Amino acid sequence: MNKKLILLILTIICLAGCADKELKVPLEDVGLLGILAFDYIDEDSYKLSAAMPQFLPEAKENTQIFSVTTDFVSKGIVEIETVSDKKVVLNQLRVVVFNEEFARNGDVQKVIRHLYRNAEVGNKVLVAIVKENGEEILKESYPDKPSINLYLNDLLQPSINTAFMPNTNIHDFVYTQTNPVFDTIVPLLEKQEGKIEIDGVALFKKDNMIEELLPREGLIIQALLGEKNLAPLNLTLDKGEEKEELMIDLIKNKVKMKSNKSIESPKLFINLKMEGTLIEYKGYREDELTTLASITKLEKDIDEQIEKDIEELLEDLKELKVDPVGLTENFRMYYKGNWDREMTEKIISKLEVDIKVTTRINSTGTLD
Amino acid sequence: MKFKKFIRAIKSGDTDKASPNTKQVTGAEIEETIELLKKNTTQINDVIFKKIPTNEGIVTMVYSNSLVEKMTMQVMVLIPLANHLNQIHQISEKIDPADKTEIISKLMGGQTLLYFHDANLLLSIDTYSASTRAITNTETESTVIGPQDAFTESLQVNISLVKRRIKNPMLKNENRIIGTESNTEISLLYVEDIVNKENLEILKKRLDKVNYPSFPDVSILKQLIEDNPLSPFPQYYMSVRPDSIVHYILDGRIVVLMDNSQAAIVCPTSFMDMFISVEDYYNRWTTATLLRMLRFFGFFLTIMITPMYVSALTFHPEILPYELLLNLQESRSKVPFPPLIEVLFIELIIEVLREAGSRMPAKVGQTIGIVGGIVIGTAAVEAGLISNILIVLVATSALLSFLPPIFLMSNTSRFVRYIFILSAGLFGLFGQMLALAWLLAHLLNLSSLGTPFMTPVIPRKAGDLLDGIIRFPTAFLKGRSGISRSQKK
Amino acid sequence: MNVDKRKQLNGYHVVFLIQNIMIGTGMLSLPQDLSSMGYSLALYPLLFGVVASLNLWPMIWICSQYKNENIFGINEKLLGKWIGKSFNLFIVVHLTFFIAGIIDDYMNLIQTTALPEQSTTIPILFFLVVAIYIVNGGIKSIARFCMMAFFLTLPLLYFLRWAIEKGDLSHLLPLFNFNKSEAFEAFRKGYLSILGYELIMVYFPYIANQKKAYKHALIGVWISIILCFVVTTVSVMYYSEWQLEHVTYSVLHLFKAGELTYIERIDIIGITIWVFLVLTTITGYLWCAKKGIDSFRSKKKISHVYVITIAIYIILSMPFSKEVKEKIFEAAFQTSYLMLCWPIFLIVVHLLRKKQVQS
């Protein structure tokens, strides 16, 4: 018995010797791409730029940018490898950026699916659209930032003040693309002198971008999606004698939707409950806002205003026949049979919405 | 060898002249025995034959000089021989000159033989008085709380240390002789109405089968009576603390003490016992639980941390956070070896340090500790031989490996770690998990005295969980553990 | 230690043997196998549970008629020596291919995720060595390993947390949105994922409390079914229908949704821990195949395990094209349905030949 065991172990050791041929590349010889940027050239080809961090203290630039023209992602990566001293891998890919032209005309879906299929790539890769040129965003110098890799990744992470933008990773992208009741929304970036700004939200219809939404509209979409942490809401009330402007820090947000389950004459009841603190106010009521009664009145005015805003947005979406909120899910839930894209468009174009917003202002700060 | 021949000679003499005990002893017979003894101890120079004239005629005295102190000789034998002969008859024991094996073992055990020529009488007096070490506190298993005394190398003292803690007539100590050459005395301690008879039976059978020349320490015996001698894991608990041994005796285990050996072994033992220190029972239950968790999970951590480094760096760089990865890349950029070699290199250096530290005289050892610490801690990193993150991991895992209260277990964890490092070097995390599967399967297959080694994990008894990784408040701990399969619950 | 060496499995052992052998690589791709049902697949494992419970009954019944015989022995008794033995040989060959199929499946997965750019021949070898090590400990050792594997892998459920948070419960509605052909297709593809309980026919003689065996087996089956149900439900919540159909190993992608700051990719840890679940399945089948050879050659020998393992290794390292391999394994998987129906046939034979056999 023991002899057999020893024999077995010996064979294993011998065989392990054979395995040595497949040499693994040690970590320090691996170039970990952090950002991929795609710029549109024509229907078949695009320019692929990639940012690779340089860790050696001797290197002058902490990020190396490669740009190649290609028609396949993997082909582009191979080409990058020919000019890099390292083995290029996608294991730590964090951000994928498309320029607006690519998003409007190119096949975004194909690129994303390639990455989604690749087992090397994690799900946390964030997707963003950039106005004008992706390569330039990578190449621009940001004097007060350690590296573009970290900067862009941190910028796209959800934080309270940018919560109007969707935090879309490649899973979300594929999910909204392939789910007939959803249309994809992706944050839209713009390069400025020495910094990058989140400018708004890019709205997709089917495979391509069709429209740019303002941060305000993005915020409403996020609120309707039931997102818990929302950006502060800036409102202008022009009802009544004078224009009023106010800012509310939202603490709680709850949305309830109910459909009439009818495909022919779809109707949706949306009940949005918001809770927050009034942090700034400019207008004629400034001195009155100390009593509960006046606050209640203000709440009502805010409700009406938000209702109006939402209605306007939905009207726009209706015209475009897109549904980034997934409103039609409320009809699909009760529909037996196959649901496809046409159904969604049919519903959204006929959709009647009944919106009810309830805002509650918890406090107006510590100063009276 | 001499000794063996000697015994054989006496034994052959024994077979030649087999005489029943009841037979009247004649002077010639005793004379012959003494002659035989003399003949066979010509090269054993500390055996002394002396003829002393007394009131009852000539007495031949035979004893082993090195096992009997002069003072004892004086008080026990010489003074009574000269003055109070009846005292000799009171304390001595009559022996049969035909039983030569017993005579020689008595002589070698430090007894003094007295042959009264006139009365045809062969007597023996227990004068064994080899000097022993005093009871001191333990340096290897010291605790902050609790009794500080430890076993010594004397079996008598050790038994007394146990017996003064359990004043119960049911506490038995069965002595027996073991070792074909050394004739070492061992003692089985157990409480008769608690211990599992089947366990006792198995243990005795195994002890009967032991055929080994000599036992410098009880740990040798331990390896011979283990269920799976090939396993890297110790299957019996070993301790020099009387309080911990007493705890196990009362739990229904069997304790084996050996003469000239400080430690005692406890059979059977479960895997969980290896992480339990008696101090846990002296501490409050919250503290004890915390410490036990540290020790238990520390064992798995210590065999996992450095392999994890190998597999993360060679196979799965994607599982590390980006910032950490950049740091690692930077610190690894100067290192010429692949991660596997790097880890093996530093692990071996730590082993060398530890081994050197324990072999060196205490005063030199301290210096070596500092030099080694500085050399490995900073110089190696600066020289670009290893990455600084690895230093942190190796140091942590080295510290973790010393957590188990049983030193044998911490040795095991160090050995097992190499298996994990190698398998991580071969197949990364997959290799590590395969190794873990092997380890768990091995532990599950192990048994200690026929009882599963992983007893609390495969619960024999739900009550075991009260005294497992979580130590419940003392009021809950009245029951005995499942592994001892005790008669009393 | 036990008085009767054969009766060594207690209730817990039976529960976990059944439960853990059922869960192997099948669960990883279960949502994809059922994807023809669309979102309605979430509830489908419950149907499997019902079918499996019904299917278990004839197995236990026929075994309890011959308390000290396993399925191989029963075959010989009922069908006569020659037919019985040749059918037993067929079962052994089937099991061998079945095991090879499972290993191939898992190793492909390991190759794509944890060991890219490496051939799998050596990992397979090590995997088989560990499997042999466990099998040599006997059925009780396997049962204990099953328990350990269950508690070790259970924390993986926690990693589904993020997928649940992101998912949409409304996907579950409408509840029964499928037609007959879709359901049949899903059943054909998906039922293989919960195979493993039929092995009770082999280790039945080792069960101490045979009267309660059915109850214990049912508990085991339903633990597995509930786990499958959790997985399918979370998948349905997290994915779109297209993704359900096209994402291979959807469970892996569920782990990918995890967001921990200190570990970026939970899926790799998840998939490597899965080796425990695959090992339990493999060792269970391997042990049964060994028993098959034992009864075929009418003697017990450890070397039988080595014979099967070497056969498996040869099958796996044969230079077949991927397509041929796939076809062979598919055939082996489909043959399992025969194993499931076999006890019903045996019951019929038993009732017909009752007097003959007993006399």
Side-chain angles (χ1 to χ4, degrees):
Chain A
M1 176 61 217
N2 266 339
K3 267 186 196 163
K4 271 184 206 159
L5 204 77
I6 291 165
L7 206 71
L8 200 71
I9 292 170
L10 278 180
T11 7
I12 290 166
I13 292 171
C14 293
L15 280 167
C18 309
D20 270 356
K21 272 179 273 166
E22 301 153 291
L23 251 180
K24 292 300 293 184
V25 182
L27 183 66
E28 62 275 14
D29 294 337
V30 167
L32 303 156
L33 296 186
I35 305 175
L36 290 183
F38 295 87
D39 292 311
Y40 191 75
I41 295 178
D42 56 48
E43 235 172 85
D44 292 325
S45 57
Y46 44 77
K47 194 170 196 185
L48 170 61
S49 317
M52 183 199 288
Q54 292 294 310
F55 49 83
L56 283 179
E58 294 88 16
K60 266 190 191 150
E61 294 277 334
N62 58 15
T63 316
Q64 201 178 354
I65 312 289
F66 300 95
S67 288
V68 289
T69 309
T70 178
D71 50 355
F72 280 129
V73 182
S74 44
K75 201 169 139 194
I77 302 287
V78 172
E79 248 174 81
I80 288 176
E81 204 160 329
T82 56
V83 291
S84 165
D85 55 336
K86 291 181 186 136
K87 184 177 188 292
V88 176
V89 293
L90 293 173
N91 288 3
Q92 286 282 0
L93 187 66
R94 287 310 157 90
V95 180
V96 183
V97 181
F98 298 92
N99 76 344
E100 200 178 329
E101 205 185 348
F102 195 107
R104 284 188 190 272
N105 306 314
D107 199 347
V108 181
Q109 167 107 264
K110 199 173 138 199
V111 174
I112 299 278
R113 271 190 201 170
H114 169 81
L115 296 173
Y116 189 59
R117 193 184 309 121
N118 192 338
E120 266 182 21
V121 182
N123 261 3
K124 275 191 226 170
V125 181
L126 295 169
V127 183
I129 307 289
V130 58
K131 285 181 179 172
E132 287 138 30
N133 198 319
E135 190 188 351
E136 273 166 32
I137 272 209
L138 300 190
K139 284 198 171 154
E140 173 80 33
S141 72
Y142 305 97
D144 51 350
K145 296 287 180 290
S147 82
I148 175 74
N149 277 317
L150 296 175
Y151 178 34
L152 203 53
N153 188 25
D154 290 347
L155 183 73
L156 290 173
Q157 292 299 332
S159 79
I160 193 73
N161 288 325
T162 56
F164 62 84
M165 61 111 187
N167 174 243
T168 314
N169 63 28
I170 52 173
H171 167 80
D172 299 332
F173 193 90
V174 175
Y175 173 72
T176 46
Q177 284 277 299
T178 54
N179 197 340
V181 302
F182 275 109
D183 282 295
T184 316
I185 39 175
V186 172
L188 188 63
L189 306 176
E190 190 170 14
K191 191 195 82 171
Q192 278 167 6
E193 199 62 36
K195 60 179 193 281
I196 305 171
E197 192 194 345
I198 304 178
D199 203 35
V201 175
L203 176 63
F204 278 61
K205 183 180 184 181
K206 285 182 186 163
D207 296 346
N208 290 104
M209 175 178 166
I210 46 159
E211 184 73 5
E212 181 191 336
L213 299 178
L214 298 171
R216 245 183 91 73
E217 293 166 318
L219 182 63
I220 292 173
I221 290 176
Q222 294 299 311
L224 287 177
L225 277 168
E227 206 61 48
K228 295 268 171 342
N229 299 318
L230 286 175
L233 179 68
N234 180 15
L235 277 179
T236 317
L237 309 178
D238 48 5
K239 198 186 125 205
E241 305 90 79
E242 238 183 289
K243 255 198 176 178
E244 296 166 88
E245 217 181 328
L246 50 88
M247 194 85 172
I248 301 173
D249 222 346
L250 293 172
I251 298 165
K252 235 181 179 178
N253 169 49
K254 211 173 170 188
V255 63
K256 262 189 189 163
M257 292 190 198
K258 217 174 166 213
S259 74
N260 66 349
K261 304 180 193 179
S262 155
I263 305 292
E264 268 60 52
S265 55
K267 197 169 181 198
L268 194 64
F269 306 92
I270 301 176
N271 196 346
L272 186 67
K273 273 185 189 160
M274 288 174 159
E275 212 172 279
T277 11
L278 185 67
I279 42 175
E280 236 182 316
Y281 176 87
K282 206 166 82 187
Y284 67 97
R285 276 189 269 192
E286 203 153 357
D287 304 323
E288 298 168 25
L289 283 174
T290 47
T291 58
L292 270 178
S294 61
I295 289 180
T296 317
K297 192 166 173 294
L298 184 68
E299 280 173 359
K300 270 208 181 125
D301 292 345
I302 293 170
D303 290 349
E304 274 171 36
Q305 182 63 36
I306 297 177
E307 273 166 29
K308 219 174 93 192
D309 286 353
I310 295 177
E311 261 164 37
E312 271 170 26
L313 174 70
L314 291 181
E315 211 50 50
D316 287 349
L317 296 179
K318 235 164 133 178
E319 245 167 65
L320 291 167
K321 287 191 183 175
V322 287
D323 185 6
V325 189
L327 296 173
T328 34
E329 172 73 9
N330 297 294
F331 296 92
R332 190 208 61 82
M333 274 164 74
Y334 304 106
Y335 177 78
K336 286 222 168 189
N338 246 348
W339 189 273
D340 52 20
R341 180 73 209 173
E342 277 73 52
M343 298 278 283
T344 304
E345 279 181 25
K346 211 172 91 192
I347 296 274
I348 202 88
S349 56
K350 283 196 276 182
L351 187 64
E352 262 180 65
V353 207
D354 188 353
I355 304 163
K356 195 163 173 273
V357 179
T358 328
T359 323
R360 249 186 69 197
I361 292 173
N362 280 348
S363 72
T364 52
T366 44
L367 271 181
D368 270 339
Chain B
M1 279 319 278
K2 282 268 156 53
F3 190 75
K4 206 170 184 182
K5 261 187 203 162
F6 179 49
I7 287 195
R8 214 176 290 146
I10 286 185
K11 271 188 180 163
S12 64
D14 197 35
T15 44
D16 286 341
K17 296 184 176 185
S19 54
N21 276 356
T22 46
K23 218 183 86 183
Q24 183 63 42
V25 182
T26 64
E29 215 174 322
I30 303 178
E31 207 77 56
E32 199 187 326
T33 309
I34 298 289
E35 279 309 306
L36 198 70
L37 272 180
K38 238 181 211 168
K39 216 175 86 192
N40 282 305
T41 53
T42 42
Q43 281 121 321
I44 307 179
N45 290 338
D46 70 336
V47 174
I48 287 169
F49 292 79
K50 238 183 208 169
K51 280 191 177 159
I52 303 169
T54 63
N55 295 343
E56 289 185 17
I58 301 244
V59 172
T60 304
M61 189 168 84
V62 189
Y63 67 98
S64 177
N65 199 11
S66 56
L67 296 177
V68 185
E69 273 186 356
K70 282 204 179 87
M71 208 41 209
T72 320
M73 202 61 188
Q74 199 76 16
V75 173
M76 300 276 290
V77 186
L78 295 178
I79 296 176
L81 269 182
N83 306 318
H84 321 281
L85 263 175
N86 55 336
Q87 205 179 332
I88 291 271
H89 293 295
Q90 276 169 18
I91 58 168
S92 67
E93 188 189 330
K94 198 178 156 191
I95 43 175
D96 179 12
D99 193 356
K100 278 150 192 134
T101 332
E102 202 198 322
I103 293 173
I104 191 70
S105 70
K106 280 198 163 147
L107 184 61
M108 291 296 131
Q111 303 206 357
T112 302
L113 305 176
L114 294 174
Y115 167 40
F116 287 76
H117 290 251
D118 294 357
N120 281 342
L121 202 60
L122 191 59
L123 298 177
S124 76
I125 300 174
D126 190 4
T127 50
Y128 176 74
S129 52
S131 52
T132 57
R133 196 159 65 93
I135 300 173
T136 52
N137 51 355
T138 163
E139 273 165 24
T140 46
E141 292 176 47
S142 57
T143 58
V144 181
I145 321 168
Q148 298 294 326
D149 54 347
F151 285 140
T152 69
E153 280 78 12
S154 157
L155 181 62
Q156 293 309 318
V157 174
N158 291 355
I159 292 177
S160 105
L161 278 173
V162 173
K163 289 220 163 179
R164 70 181 73 161
R165 286 180 162 85
I166 311 174
K167 293 178 182 111
N168 183 343
M170 282 301 176
L171 173 64
K172 310 290 178 190
N173 63 313
E174 273 184 50
N175 289 22
R176 51 167 74 202
I177 304 290
I178 203 165
T180 50
E181 304 284 342
S182 66
N183 291 319
T184 315
E185 193 172 12
I186 60 167
S187 184
L188 301 185
L189 275 80
Y190 55 89
V191 180
E192 199 177 22
D193 58 348
I194 301 177
V195 77
N196 181 288
K197 289 277 151 57
E198 208 177 334
N199 281 352
L200 196 59
E201 209 65 18
I202 298 172
L203 183 63
K204 280 182 184 169
K205 250 184 221 158
R206 282 195 195 162
L207 285 173
D208 287 341
K209 273 190 204 148
V210 168
N211 179 18
Y212 198 75
S214 70
F215 293 94
D217 189 62
V218 75
S219 45
I220 293 174
L221 179 66
K222 177 168 116 32
Q223 291 169 51
L224 288 172
I225 57 173
E226 269 170 354
D227 297 34
N228 184 352
L230 296 178
S231 164
F233 284 88
Q235 290 142 49
Y236 296 128
Y237 184 85
M238 220 168 102
S239 175
V240 299
R241 294 184 59 89
D243 51 344
S244 123
I245 291 301
V246 161
H247 165 78
Y248 284 117
I249 291 181
L250 289 178
D251 191 50
R253 323 277 178 100
I254 308 155
V255 165
V256 182
L257 289 168
M258 183 184 270
D259 200 14
N260 301 317
S261 147
Q262 200 188 358
I265 56 177
V266 177
C267 335
T269 313
S270 71
F271 183 63
M272 196 59 227
D273 289 339
M274 300 287 175
F275 300 98
I276 291 175
S277 152
V278 256
E279 208 187 7
D280 293 349
Y281 299 101
Y282 307 148
N283 265 320
R284 302 206 58 76
W285 73 281
T286 44
T287 322
T289 304
L290 179 71
L291 292 177
R292 276 192 190 179
M293 279 189 184
L294 270 184
R295 289 190 211 120
F296 187 76
F297 294 111
F299 175 78
F300 289 98
L301 268 183
T302 186
I303 56 178
M304 279 301 205
I305 290 182
T306 39
M308 207 67 173
Y309 175 85
V310 176
S311 47
L313 259 64
T314 13
F315 292 92
H316 325 288
E318 62 269 29
I319 62 173
L320 295 173
Y322 195 53
E323 289 81 357
L324 181 63
L325 203 61
L326 290 185
N327 269 343
L328 270 173
Q329 273 195 324
E330 193 184 332
S331 76
R332 283 253 329 147
S333 60
K334 279 191 272 171
V335 182
F337 322 114
L340 177 64
I341 307 289
E342 185 192 2
V343 168
L344 283 178
F345 174 67
I346 182 93
E347 286 279 3
L348 283 174
I349 286 189
I350 294 261
E351 291 297 294
V352 168
L353 248 185
R354 193 190 63 83
E355 193 61 18
S358 62
R359 296 281 161 268
M360 231 165 268
K363 279 179 189 163
V364 193
Q366 241 173 15
T367 341
I368 283 294
I370 296 165
V371 170
I374 292 170
V375 167
I376 294 172
T378 31
V381 174
E382 269 170 36
L385 286 177
I386 29 180
S387 73
N388 44 14
I389 290 172
L390 181 60
I391 290 278
V392 178
L393 295 181
V394 168
T396 317
S397 78
L399 282 179
L400 283 172
S401 77
F402 289 103
L403 281 182
I406 300 191
F407 195 61
L408 283 172
M409 200 64 184
S410 72
N411 284 341
T412 305
S413 75
R414 274 202 294 276
F415 169 75
V416 171
R417 184 158 65 218
Y418 286 104
I419 298 181
F420 275 76
I421 292 175
L422 286 178
S423 48
L426 274 178
F427 316 123
L429 260 182
F430 173 69
Q432 250 173 289
M433 289 303 165
L434 263 189
L436 186 66
W438 164 80
L439 181 73
L440 291 179
H442 176 73
L443 283 172
L444 288 170
N445 273 345
L446 273 186
S447 60
S448 173
L449 221 60
T451 335
F453 192 50
M454 292 288 265
T455 294
V457 184
I458 316 161
R460 286 188 88 78
K461 204 175 142 189
D464 278 358
L465 297 174
L466 297 176
D467 193 10
I469 297 174
I470 296 171
R471 209 274 278 156
F472 274 68
T474 313
F476 290 93
L477 302 180
K478 280 182 219 148
R480 291 178 219 285
S481 64
I483 191 163
S484 56
R485 300 192 295 158
S486 53
Q487 298 170 37
K488 279 191 197 168
K489 285 298 147 201
Chain C
M1 292 306 295
N2 292 311
V3 188
D4 186 352
K5 274 264 169 191
R6 276 168 73 89
K7 307 273 181 253
Q8 40 181 262
L9 298 175
N10 64 27
Y12 292 107
H13 289 143
V14 178
V15 169
F16 286 105
L17 267 178
I18 293 264
Q19 187 269 330
N20 243 310
I21 293 178
M22 279 171 78
I23 292 182
T25 47
M27 191 162 158
L28 286 172
S29 49
L30 184 61
Q32 195 195 9
D33 291 337
L34 301 179
S35 62
S36 64
M37 311 256 301
Y39 279 153
S40 314
L41 69 85
L43 296 171
Y44 217 55
L46 299 179
L47 176 72
F48 286 172
V50 175
V51 174
S53 313
L54 293 176
N55 193 210
L56 254 175
W57 188 82
M59 295 180 184
I60 305 242
W61 191 83
I62 189 77
C63 282
S64 51
Q65 297 304 309
Y66 301 86
K67 286 201 165 83
N68 290 318
E69 293 286 346
N70 57 26
I71 181 79
F72 303 111
I74 297 172
N75 276 342
E76 275 183 42
K77 270 199 174 170
L78 282 180
L79 303 176
K81 201 171 175 192
W82 288 109
I83 305 175
K85 277 209 173 187
S86 42
F87 187 74
N88 288 349
L89 189 67
F90 171 72
I91 296 180
V92 170
V93 172
H94 155 69
L95 287 177
T96 311
F97 276 96
F98 192 85
I99 298 168
I102 300 172
I103 297 181
D104 189 61
D105 207 15
Y106 181 64
M107 282 301 161
N108 278 339
L109 179 59
I110 283 286
Q111 196 176 22
T112 48
T113 53
L115 292 175
E117 300 155 31
Q118 226 181 7
S119 85
T120 51
T121 39
I122 314 268
I124 288 176
L125 201 69
F126 273 79
F127 182 86
L128 286 174
V129 168
V130 174
I132 291 175
Y133 184 82
I134 299 168
V135 170
N136 278 346
I139 188 72
K140 200 169 175 182
S141 156
I142 299 172
R144 284 178 184 160
F145 191 74
C146 284
M147 276 189 192
M148 198 63 134
F150 176 75
F151 288 110
L152 213 75
T153 47
L154 202 62
L156 286 179
L157 279 183
Y158 173 78
F159 294 136
L160 297 179
R161 201 191 92 187
W162 295 278
I164 294 172
E165 272 170 18
K166 261 200 163 174
D168 204 339
L169 208 55
S170 69
H171 287 179
L172 292 176
L173 289 171
L175 274 181
F176 302 101
N177 188 11
F178 55 87
N179 58 36
K180 261 186 210 163
S181 63
E182 284 169 352
F184 181 73
E185 173 80 8
F187 191 88
R188 196 179 63 80
K189 278 190 182 168
Y191 195 74
L192 291 168
S193 312
I194 67 149
L195 282 186
Y197 58 86
E198 77 274 10
L199 295 186
I200 197 172
M201 292 190 287
V202 186
Y203 55 79
F204 190 82
Y206 293 84
I207 298 173
N209 192 348
Q210 294 184 335
K211 277 185 188 146
K212 279 194 176 169
Y214 186 55
K215 195 180 126 199
H216 292 144
L218 275 189
I219 296 173
V221 166
W222 280 96
I223 293 177
S224 293
I225 293 297
I226 286 168
L227 289 176
C228 286
F229 175 62
V230 170
V231 166
T232 49
T233 310
V234 177
S235 302
V236 163
M237 283 165 67
Y238 185 62
Y239 292 120
S240 70
E241 277 182 333
W242 182 89
Q243 280 168 312
L244 281 176
E245 200 180 329
H246 289 90
V247 175
T248 39
Y249 305 119
S250 15
V251 179
L252 197 69
H253 278 257
L254 289 182
F255 290 144
K256 268 192 178 180
E259 282 166 29
L260 291 173
T261 47
Y262 44 94
I263 301 172
E264 292 284 324
R265 295 282 296 277
I266 298 161
D267 55 323
I268 290 180
I269 293 181
I271 206 65
T272 45
I273 288 185
W274 213 270
V275 77
F276 280 90
L277 298 177
V278 181
L279 264 176
T280 51
T281 313
I282 296 296
T283 49
Y285 276 98
L286 196 57
W287 185 83
C288 293
K290 184 219 164 219
K291 281 280 141 190
I293 298 195
D294 279 354
S295 86
F296 181 72
R297 295 191 56 202
S298 312
K299 55 181 164 188
K300 285 182 183 175
K301 260 194 168 176
I302 296 178
S303 60
H304 292 163
V305 183
Y306 298 113
V307 171
I308 301 165
T309 325
I310 290 167
I312 293 169
Y313 190 67
I314 290 171
I315 293 169
L316 286 173
S317 47
M318 279 286 210
F320 293 139
S321 73
K322 200 155 176 154
E323 200 192 337
V324 177
K325 259 190 190 173
E326 213 78 318
K327 264 187 192 162
I328 294 173
F329 295 144
E330 187 62 33
F333 291 146
Q334 300 291 348
T335 323
S336 304
Y337 287 125
L338 183 67
M339 283 287 285
L340 297 183
C341 305
W342 189 246
I344 300 167
F345 169 72
L346 283 182
I347 287 175
V348 174
V349 178
H350 170 78
L351 292 176
L352 289 176
R353 297 190 57 190
K354 207 175 196 172
K355 276 173 195 161
Q356 239 174 313
V357 174
Q358 272 164 0
S359 62

